[in-house]
Amino acid sequence: MFKSQYGLTVTVVLAVVMGLMMSFVAIWIDSLALNISVVFKNWSMITLVILLVSMFVPYQKWGAGFASLFHLKEGSTAFKMTANLVPTLILNTFIAVIVPAANILYNEAVPAQMQLSVLWASVVRDWPLMLVISYFVSFVAEAAGKAVASRYVEA
């Protein structure tokens, strides 16, 4: 994704939009207080995780390869929906582990001896629902990224 200015722009916008949308989802799922502090903290962590994973994991390429296994026509809706499963799985897994870890492992309100069990319970509880929601949210975020890149990046 970072091999071109267009891909970089799509990735950055996708990360920002996805981070914001998933921040609200995490607040809803975990029944957290809805305030600017919680939104910003989760938004920034999710955005950072997406950007870091995007730099090192070729999940788009893997997703396209996965969709090709089913002999789907590249560019078709079925191809896009199938190819999106791999990036969603990878990004959601990183987000579902790292964001709660940052919130739990550095929280004095959670006793140190309970932090790993609380973290594990959070990951197990949140991961499946976040996976499904992030799958659909990613299409909106990618569309926003492509719209911005198409408008502001010279070909």
Side-chain angles (χ1 to χ4, degrees):
M1 288 197 126
F2 289 139
K3 292 185 180 186
S4 70
Q5 193 71 20
Y6 183 89
L8 176 63
T9 304
V10 171
T11 302
V12 169
V13 173
L14 178 141
V16 169
V17 171
M18 187 93 174
L20 181 61
M21 295 171 84
M22 293 311 293
S23 175
F24 284 109
V25 171
I27 289 167
W28 169 66
I29 288 175
D30 292 331
S31 302
L32 301 173
L34 181 58
N35 60 53
I36 191 68
S37 177
V38 174
V39 170
F40 183 76
K41 181 173 72 168
N42 284 330
W43 179 19
S44 59
M45 284 192 291
I46 293 169
T47 300
L48 179 63
V49 169
I50 292 170
L51 289 173
L52 289 174
V53 172
S54 297
M55 282 194 279
F56 300 107
V57 180
Y59 56 79
Q60 290 287 67
K61 182 179 177 182
W62 295 347
F66 179 68
S68 296
L69 292 174
F70 300 99
H71 305 290
L72 300 171
K73 183 181 176 192
E74 192 167 343
S76 69
T77 302
F79 184 91
K80 290 176 186 176
M81 293 181 74
T82 304
N84 194 38
L85 291 170
V86 174
T88 301
L89 179 66
I90 291 169
L91 290 174
N92 185 69
T93 301
F94 275 95
I95 292 166
V97 173
I98 293 171
V99 174
N103 286 323
I104 293 166
L105 299 179
Y106 297 99
N107 187 342
E108 297 86 27
V110 180
Q113 64 273 19
M114 293 180 60
Q115 288 178 346
L116 287 179
S117 62
V118 171
L119 173 60
W120 178 247
S122 175
V123 170
V124 169
R125 179 189 67 235
D126 293 354
W127 186 85
L129 185 55
M130 294 288 279
L131 178 69
V132 172
I133 294 171
S134 67
Y135 175 78
F136 293 105
V137 166
S138 67
F139 288 108
V140 174
E142 183 179 23
K146 287 182 176 179
V148 170
S150 295
R151 182 168 181 175
Y152 295 107
V153 176
E154 294 181 27

